[in-house]
Amino acid sequence: MDAAPTDRATAQPGPHLAPADERRPLRSAVVVNPVRVEDLPTRKEAVEAALAEAGWPAPQWIETTAEDPGAGQARQAIADGAELVFVCGGDGTVRSTIEGVAGTDVALAVLPAGTGNLLATNLGVPDDPRAGVHLATQWGRRRLDVGDVDGQAFAVMAGMGFDAALLEDASTDLKAKIGPLAYVLSAVRHLTDRRATVRVSIDGRAPVRRRARSVVIGNVGRLQGGVTLLADAEPDNGQMDVAILAPRTVGHWVALAWGVVRRRRDVAHMQVLRGTDITVSWDSEQPRELDGDVIEPGRSMRVTVRPGALLLCVPQPEESPDLSEGAERLAD
C-alpha cells in the first residue's frame, strides 16, 4: 500500500517550482542499496557535504534489504517526517522506492548507482552524488504519471519479450566489467529469437493482434544509452505509449534501429499505440521488466496509469517530454 497522501498532495501533473521566498531546507532521507553501492562511505560524505553547502540538514540513511528493496524504507522515512527522499541504487532500488513515494507530496531525487539507471538516464543525472543533491536543492519539481502492474510501480517503462530478455541475460559480473556494452552483447544473442503472437487491448477498444518480438509500454521515450524509442511519449499526459516491435529478420532489426536512431515518427516494423489501461497477452510465457528491473515472467501484463502520482526532482520544471532538459545546469 502506498503512503497516504497529505493535505498538500496533488494529482495534477506538470511543473511545480516553489516561489523563491518559500524555498527552505528540507528534512531528507536516503534509501540506499548497500550491495549495489560499493563506495558508500565516499558517497555518503559527498551527499552530506553537498547538503551542508546548501544549508540543508544531514539526511537519515536507510539501507534496503533483500526482503524489502526500497518501498518500505521510503514509507518509513516519510512517516518519520522526511520531506524529500533520495534513492541511491540500481534500477530495482529506484523502482521499489517509487512505490513507497508515489501518491504523496514528498519529492524523490535520484542518486544513480549500478549499471542501468534508467530513470537517471532520462533525467540526465550523471553518476555524481553532488549533482543529484544539487538537483534536489534547486527546487525543480515535476509531477509525473506512474504505471501500475499488479501493485508494482514504474515511472519509465514496462516491457515483455525481447527487451526483458536482454536485461535478464546481461549478467551482473559482465555489467561490472564492461558497463552498458553488456546490454548490447545480450541484445545480439536475442536478435534471432522466435516471434510469438501477442494481443494488445487498450481502453476497451478492439484488441490489436500481432506476431511480435517485444511490447514496450513507455512513460518516457529514452532507453539505456540515450536512445529514444518513443519519440512522442510524454511523462505527464495521463497516458502511456505502447510500442509493438515485430521484426522477423536481422535486417528488419537494423531497419527498426535505424528508424529509432533517426527519430522518425513512422519506424519500420514498429507500431505505436497510446492509452491509460493496457493489457498485453501472449500465447507463450515471456520475460517481463519494469524500469529495467526484471520481474517474474508471465503470459500477460496489465498496466494502469496513475496520473501525476510521483513528484520528481528534475533539472528544471519546464513542461517538456524530455525530462533531462536543463541537465547541463547540474554541473554549475
Side-chain angles (χ1 to χ4, degrees):
M1 180 179 296
D2 294 327
T6 69
D7 292 338
R8 295 174 294 161
T10 175
Q12 295 298 316
H16 293 267
L17 184 61
D21 59 355
E22 293 183 14
R23 301 177 203 177
R24 59 181 176 80
L26 300 178
R27 293 179 60 186
S28 64
V30 183
V31 175
V32 60
N33 184 338
V35 176
R36 297 301 299 272
V37 183
E38 297 179 352
D39 57 343
L40 183 53
T42 302
R43 284 179 179 265
K44 184 175 181 180
E45 182 179 353
V47 167
E48 294 187 347
L51 285 172
E53 289 174 7
W56 287 36
Q60 176 188 14
W61 291 81
I62 313 174
E63 295 188 356
T64 64
T65 64
E67 295 74 25
D68 190 343
Q73 289 84 349
R75 293 181 184 119
Q76 185 59 54
I78 293 171
D80 291 342
E83 299 169 286
L84 183 140
V85 173
F86 292 97
V87 57
C88 185
D91 288 322
T93 307
V94 173
R95 188 185 65 77
S96 185
T97 303
I98 288 172
E99 289 180 11
V101 173
T104 77
D105 66 343
V106 173
L108 179 72
V110 181
L111 303 174
T115 306
N117 297 313
L118 196 53
L119 184 56
T121 297
N122 278 275
L123 291 174
V125 182
D127 186 15
D128 174 6
R130 296 180 67 89
V133 170
H134 185 72
L135 194 66
T137 59
Q138 293 302 299
W139 277 85
R141 307 284 190 267
R142 184 166 171 179
R143 277 207 172 270
L144 309 184
D145 304 329
V146 170
D148 180 88
V149 177
D150 299 329
Q152 300 182 84
F154 70 93
V156 181
M157 59 184 60
M160 293 187 73
F162 171 80
D163 65 306
L166 74 87
L167 289 168
E168 186 174 38
D169 286 352
S171 71
T172 301
D173 290 342
L174 190 60
K175 287 187 290 186
K177 291 178 181 178
I178 63 176
L181 183 59
Y183 296 112
V184 177
L185 298 179
S186 179
V188 170
R189 289 197 295 268
H190 287 280
L191 286 180
T192 56
D193 288 353
R194 295 182 61 182
R195 295 186 302 162
T197 300
V198 64
R199 186 176 64 181
V200 180
S201 303
I202 300 178
D203 296 339
R205 299 192 294 269
V208 174
R209 184 183 174 93
R210 294 284 185 272
R211 292 284 291 175
R213 302 290 296 280
S214 185
V215 175
V216 176
I217 301 167
N219 195 28
V220 295
R222 187 179 286 114
L223 301 174
Q224 280 95 344
V227 176
T228 300
L229 176 68
L230 298 165
D232 294 325
E234 298 179 23
D236 54 7
N237 65 353
Q239 298 180 309
M240 293 199 178
D241 284 17
V242 183
I244 304 173
L245 280 63
R248 294 194 304 273
T249 66
V250 173
H252 288 173
W253 274 117
V254 172
L256 190 156
W258 180 246
V260 168
V261 170
R262 295 290 298 274
R263 296 195 177 189
R264 292 176 177 168
R265 288 294 183 269
D266 186 12
V267 177
H269 314 294
M270 184 175 81
Q271 180 180 6
V272 180
L273 310 170
R274 176 175 287 181
T276 61
D277 190 338
I278 303 144
T279 300
V280 180
S281 303
W282 296 80
D283 64 356
S284 60
E285 188 172 83
Q286 299 289 327
R288 308 191 303 170
E289 60 91 6
L290 301 176
D291 281 357
D293 182 28
V294 178
I295 62 174
E296 69 282 356
R299 286 174 174 261
S300 66
M301 174 185 287
R302 182 183 179 187
V303 173
T304 54
V305 180
R306 300 168 57 190
L310 178 65
L311 185 59
L312 186 67
C313 296
V314 294
Q316 57 186 19
E318 281 80 353
E319 294 183 81
S320 167
D322 188 352
L323 296 177
S324 67
E325 202 168 279
E328 68 278 356
R329 297 168 61 241
L330 295 176
D332 294 342

